[in-house]
Amino acid sequence: MSKPKCWQDVPPGTIAWGASARDVETGLWRSMRPILDRNKCISCLKCWLQCPDASIETDGEGKVNGINMFFCKGCGVCDKVCPVGAISMHPEADFSSECRKRGEDPGRVADHVR
Amino acid sequence: MAGINLKELTNRQSPLTEGHRMCPGCGAPTAVRQGLMAVEDPVVIVGATGCFEVSTTVYPYSAWRVPYMHIAFENAGAGVSGVAAAHKVLSRKGAVKDNIKFAAVGGDGGTYDIGLQSLSGALERGHDFTYICYNNQGYMNTGAQRSSATPANASATTSPAGSVIPGKLERAKDLTEIVAAHDIPYVAQTTLHDPMDVIRKVKRAVETPGPAFVNILVPCPLFWKIDPANQVKVCKLAADSRFWPIYEVIDGRHVLSYDPKDPVPLKDFLMVQGRYSHLFKKGKERTDLIEQGQADVDREWEKLLKKCSGWTG
């Protein structure tokens, strides 16, 4: 079955495409943004294990690579479980002027992995 | 822990994807993600109605990489036994060659209350499946009503604390022991205090031939009225206060998997949650109810230790 283009293409009673929720930008819910300090991070993977939204990105060798802002809902669990304080939470509003300067809509994040 | 390499797990695709619409800081996706992380065989998921079902399959999206069947509140046990039985027949006829595992996921409403008879039937018939109950101690999808998993004195919308009653009057029922009484190969109880414990227990449950059951206590930030970021801390308090004992029942033998070195009083677990705030009102502290709760916890813990004595893991 090919991927449906619009809702009329989806057969009644079923969801045609597995993992399609990956198109949903749950990051738009976020009010607090986690910032990862790569110099402090020891890649213990505690945040990766505990993230309810699977938003901690790894590089294929078990090292933490960044936080996926497309999906991160900003719950702050990663900040609390981090044993070395490498993640800090900041109000999303602090980033709006920075986003505008780059010509982005402050509510959206263009470069998803930071 | 032997056999599980976290670095290797990071390269594996989780059956549950990102982009599901569970609340920020909800414990249910964490529990299911951690649990299915180390399962190597392909799985088929049967989801009972509940938060987790409505939020992972919002039409027309699905947050599952694996086949998923939505089933009603009362028949997740019957649904998963049907799928497992179909697989057994097709394997016998040679139509299916893969070793496929079957898991049902339900909340406490769909497991403790509404789905209990179909679960009991499936356990008794001995189908090869795993039932994962994410227990947030109430009906969260419909607005924090009490369920039979809600502990005593918790304020829920259908047992609100006020001048008449101090929250729910009844104790929670012990479903893990009810399931263990079916004498099935594997029963476990855990919470999000230690990810390796969840990973190990669900992996073992899925790999055990025959029925298996895992009861995972997960916080609901809206009902428990906690800061979503404190998910792990609250679960740790649940385990350390012995409110939620961490143990497993392997072939009828009780084995304690976590014995808190420095047990904390039940009060510490209750105090961090807004649903118990009426017990701690200045000048109107309900020390009698807190002491009663502590006595219940101590009694249950003694009972569990007696069951565990004589067996080693």
Side-chain angles (χ1 to χ4, degrees):
Chain A
M1 199 187 294
S2 64
K3 193 171 180 175
K5 299 244 173 346
C6 57
W7 67 268
Q8 289 95 336
D9 288 351
V10 180
T14 63
I15 292 176
W17 202 256
S20 52
R22 301 193 78 234
D23 292 343
V24 182
E25 189 175 353
T26 50
L28 293 174
W29 302 7
R30 193 174 54 244
S31 61
M32 296 293 277
R33 183 185 292 199
I35 300 289
L36 172 72
D37 184 342
R38 281 159 210 269
N39 297 324
K40 282 190 192 165
C41 178
I42 53 168
S43 287
C44 64
L45 299 175
K46 282 203 168 128
C47 54
W48 177 81
L49 277 167
Q50 217 70 41
C51 179
D53 296 296
S55 300
I56 308 291
E57 300 268 327
T58 50
D59 65 354
E61 283 157 17
K63 295 260 185 303
V64 172
N65 207 15
I67 301 168
N68 191 329
M69 295 297 165
F70 190 82
F71 297 118
C72 170
K73 293 169 188 162
C75 63
V77 169
C78 50
D79 172 31
K80 295 272 178 183
V81 297
C82 183
V84 292
I87 296 175
S88 50
M89 303 300 291
H90 304 272
E92 198 59 36
D94 292 358
F95 300 92
S96 58
S97 59
E98 184 193 310
C99 290
R100 265 196 211 97
K101 265 185 219 155
R102 283 203 300 270
E104 290 169 14
D105 176 352
R108 303 191 70 86
V109 182
D111 178 15
H112 299 312
V113 181
R114 302 225 165 124
Chain B
M1 204 191 109
I4 293 173
N5 182 338
L6 274 187
K7 284 190 178 173
E8 275 170 27
L9 288 186
T10 59
N11 290 329
R12 203 178 290 170
Q13 278 194 330
S14 165
L16 177 70
T17 72
E18 313 86 335
H20 57 73
R21 262 55 63 77
M22 298 297 275
C23 302
C26 174
T30 316
V32 173
R33 209 183 126 240
Q34 286 179 357
L36 298 175
M37 211 172 253
V39 175
E40 281 165 28
D41 294 310
V43 284
V44 172
I45 304 287
V46 176
T49 298
C51 285
F52 201 57
E53 171 266 323
V54 295
S55 309
T56 56
T57 56
V58 181
Y59 190 79
Y61 300 105
S62 167
W64 294 94
R65 282 197 179 89
V66 294
Y68 177 90
M69 182 164 80
H70 165 226
I71 206 127
F73 241 138
E74 55 276 71
N75 54 356
V80 75
S81 36
V83 186
H87 175 253
K88 195 174 162 188
V89 170
L90 291 172
S91 303
R92 193 168 61 215
K93 291 182 176 172
V96 178
K97 300 249 174 345
D98 294 336
N99 185 22
I100 303 171
K101 301 291 184 187
F102 302 93
V105 179
D108 57 290
T111 311
Y112 277 67
D113 294 351
I114 310 173
L116 183 57
Q117 64 90 3
S118 76
L119 171 65
S120 176
L123 296 173
E124 186 269 328
R125 289 190 301 272
H127 298 280
D128 186 5
F129 74 101
T130 302
Y131 197 104
I132 302 169
C133 171
Y134 66 93
N135 174 7
N136 50 23
Q137 305 192 317
Y139 289 87
M140 295 309 108
N141 189 29
T142 44
Q145 287 86 7
R146 58 89 93 183
S147 77
S148 62
T150 311
N153 305 322
S155 179
T157 50
T158 45
S159 61
S163 54
V164 183
I165 54 163
K168 193 188 168 191
L169 297 171
E170 303 81 14
R171 297 189 187 105
K173 81 180 168 203
D174 191 349
L175 185 71
T176 312
E177 284 304 309
I178 295 173
V179 171
H182 288 75
D183 204 12
I184 60 170
Y186 188 74
V187 181
Q189 176 163 299
T190 187
T191 181
L192 303 178
H193 69 300
D194 175 10
M196 295 316 274
D197 195 62
V198 181
I199 294 175
R200 185 181 65 82
K201 281 182 175 159
V202 177
K203 186 178 163 71
R204 180 160 188 170
V206 172
E207 285 170 2
T208 302
F213 178 83
V214 188
N215 193 352
I216 311 177
L217 181 75
V218 298
C220 170
L222 296 177
F223 173 43
W224 294 24
K225 298 193 181 70
I226 56 167
D227 177 358
N230 287 335
Q231 193 186 81
V232 183
K233 186 184 149 196
V234 175
C235 290
K236 189 106 181 59
L237 284 172
D240 283 344
S241 65
R242 297 167 170 172
F243 168 83
W244 191 255
I246 313 296
Y247 68 100
E248 49 198 335
V249 189
I250 307 160
D251 292 323
R253 299 172 183 188
H254 282 68
V255 180
L256 198 65
S257 14
Y258 175 71
D259 190 1
K261 278 200 192 85
D262 305 302
V264 296
L266 177 70
K267 199 178 165 191
D268 292 10
F269 172 63
L270 304 183
M271 239 158 58
V272 294
Q273 300 172 60
R275 61 176 171 161
Y276 294 108
S277 60
H278 55 280
L279 302 179
F280 299 97
K281 267 202 185 127
K282 263 225 163 103
K284 283 187 198 165
E285 284 103 340
R286 294 299 303 266
T287 36
D288 54 326
L289 294 176
I290 299 166
E291 274 162 24
Q292 179 63 45
Q294 182 68 55
D296 287 347
V297 165
D298 292 343
R299 197 191 58 230
E300 290 300 315
W301 181 257
E302 284 305 315
K303 249 165 73 183
L304 179 65
L305 285 188
K306 259 189 204 139
K307 284 179 198 159
C308 293
S309 64
W311 307 112
T312 43

